[in-house]
Every structure is written in structure tokens, then in C-alpha cells.
Amino acid sequence: MLPKPADRTRIRGQSSVEFLALALVLLPLLLIVPLIGKQLDIAQAAATAARYAAFEGTVRHGGSLQPWKSDAVLADELRRRFFSTSAAAIKTGDVAGDVSADRNPLWSDHRGGALLPVFSTHVGVESRRQALSQPVGAVFAAGMGLDRSNLHTARLRVGVANVAGLAPFDALGLSIERHATVLVDPWSAAGPAAVRSALRREPWNPVGPFPFGPLDTLVSALRPFAAVLEGSQLPDIGRINPDIIPADRIR
């Protein structure tokens, strides 16, 4: 049995009301879900940028010929290489400007407003170098002439702009912070002789990693007896062969 015309009118009216009620619920979700995704993308970029700043210590450490970069220089590099448009060329001294051409086109709200409107105030970085204070490690590092100020830490802060008219993002004040730390050993050997010299610290070095000098003196007193006793052999104190590979490591 078909509904009467009046009943069909009421059904269409009810469907319209249900659609409007559902739209009022879904519309904020359609705006919020993409915005959360953009904020997560910014957080991922912040983590990558923090690693980049910390890994600068691998090439600009205490023993490097290049000086450690200042926070201002690092911040300019991070803004340009990680928070501006992905098509930006990597150039020395290049700075990201607060213009549409230099922004990531995806990092905007539903009205087209930039989530990072001012690079200089919304993206900042702090870096520092620390010395390892572990006592045994400090003795070994001093004995081999290593630089102990080789713990490089970067702390990145990204402030995301509020979105007007979209609660709770209109007063959220979101701040994303990421930390990264890299332990760098700046010492490198010029050859086998450099390795041997660093380990031995010849001829006398009580604070060295191995007391070759005092041990060799003790063994020297036994050399006359070794010459008399047939088949005897004294230990070769301080023998270092950096280029010899153990047999169990050869395949």
C-alpha cells in the first residue's frame, strides 16, 4: 500500500531534519581530522629537524676544523630545509621568508591561514655540547688525547598557530618540542702509527689507558734470565698491530 501524499511530505521533512542534524555533527569532524593530520606532519618534521641539528656534531665537533654552528644559523637552516616548501633548493645561508612561495602548502587551516605564520617566532632551536663525566671513561679519553666534550644535544620547539572559530583549536596554544642527542667521537687515526701512538702514549704516561711504560720496565729486569733459559719467551709489552685481522674474523 502506497503512503498518502501527506505522509510522503512528512517523511521527506523528517529526512531533511535528520540530514541537517547529522551534518552539524560531521562538519566539525571533516575540519578537525585533516587539521590533526597536519599537526602530526609538523611534529614529524620537528623530530627529523632535531636529529639534523644534533647530527651536526658529527662534522662540527670539538676536534673539527669547522666551528660549531650557532643556534641562529641552525634555526635558519631548519626553517628552510624542514618547515618551508619541500621544493626549496638547499643553499648555504638561505633563509625562509614569511611568504606563500616559501611555505608548505599543506600546513594551513580550513580558511587558508598558515599554521606557521612567522618562521622566526614559531620555529626555534637550542643546541649544546656537554662533557662526559664518567670517571673511567674520562681517564681513558685523557690518556688517548680524545675530546670529551662530544655529547651534542638539540632541542627544537615549534609553535603551531591557533585556528580562529574552531574550538578547541582556537585557544589550544599547541607547542611541539623534540629532543635529540648524539654521542660523537671526533678522534680519527691517520694510520697504524697514529693508533699505536694514541694507545701507548710513549714513553711514560701513567694516566694512559694502558701502563705500557711501567710494565715494560718490570719485564726488562727479567730479560737476562730469559736469555739463559732455553725456550722461554717474555711477553711483548705494548705490541700493537692495528692492521692485523684475527683469523676468526676472516671468511
Side-chain angles (χ1 to χ4, degrees):
M1 180 177 179
L2 297 175
K4 298 179 180 180
D7 294 335
R8 289 198 295 267
T9 302
R10 284 195 298 269
I11 292 174
R12 287 196 296 268
Q14 180 181 357
S15 299
S16 300
V17 172
E18 291 175 353
F19 174 78
L20 291 176
L22 187 61
L24 292 176
V25 176
L26 294 179
L27 184 59
L29 292 179
L30 294 177
L31 298 177
I32 290 175
V33 171
L35 183 59
I36 294 177
K38 295 175 182 181
Q39 292 177 347
L40 291 176
D41 192 28
I42 294 176
Q44 178 62 34
T48 305
R51 296 189 191 103
Y52 171 88
F55 269 94
E56 278 295 288
T58 62
V59 294
R60 295 177 181 270
H61 43 68
S64 173
L65 298 178
Q66 304 181 36
W68 177 248
K69 290 182 180 179
S70 64
D71 290 347
V73 174
L74 277 175
D76 286 338
E77 289 185 2
L78 298 180
R79 293 163 188 158
R80 184 58 169 171
R81 301 180 184 183
F82 296 93
F83 296 97
S84 67
T85 175
S86 58
I90 298 178
K91 301 178 181 179
T92 302
D94 197 10
V95 179
D98 298 323
V99 294
S100 299
D102 287 351
R103 300 187 188 280
N104 189 322
L106 297 178
W107 294 347
S108 59
D109 57 25
H110 63 288
R111 297 179 178 176
L115 296 179
L116 302 177
V118 183
F119 285 112
S120 60
T121 58
H122 284 73
V123 179
V125 64
E126 298 177 2
S127 60
R128 65 179 184 273
R129 288 183 294 181
Q130 295 174 293
L132 294 177
S133 57
Q134 204 274 344
V136 177
V139 171
F140 274 75
M144 296 183 64
L146 300 181
D147 181 14
R148 289 187 295 149
S149 298
N150 54 3
L151 194 64
H152 301 266
T153 301
R155 176 176 177 266
L156 183 72
R157 179 195 57 80
V158 181
V160 181
N162 294 331
V163 180
L166 185 61
F169 297 92
D170 55 349
L172 191 59
L174 179 62
S175 179
I176 301 173
E177 293 189 4
R178 293 294 183 268
H179 305 255
T181 301
V182 177
L183 178 61
V184 180
D185 181 5
W187 181 77
S188 58
V195 176
R196 188 179 299 105
S197 177
L199 291 175
R200 290 180 59 93
R201 305 295 286 179
E202 299 173 327
W204 295 90
N205 186 15
V207 299
F210 304 102
F212 291 117
L215 290 176
D216 190 47
T217 301
L218 295 177
V219 172
S220 298
L222 301 177
R223 285 196 177 96
F225 301 96
V228 175
L229 299 176
E230 183 179 357
S232 62
Q233 185 177 0
L234 294 177
D236 189 1
I237 302 297
R239 181 181 179 184
I240 301 173
N241 294 314
D243 289 343
I244 294 181
I245 303 177
D248 60 342
R249 296 295 186 268
I250 301 176
R251 296 291 184 267

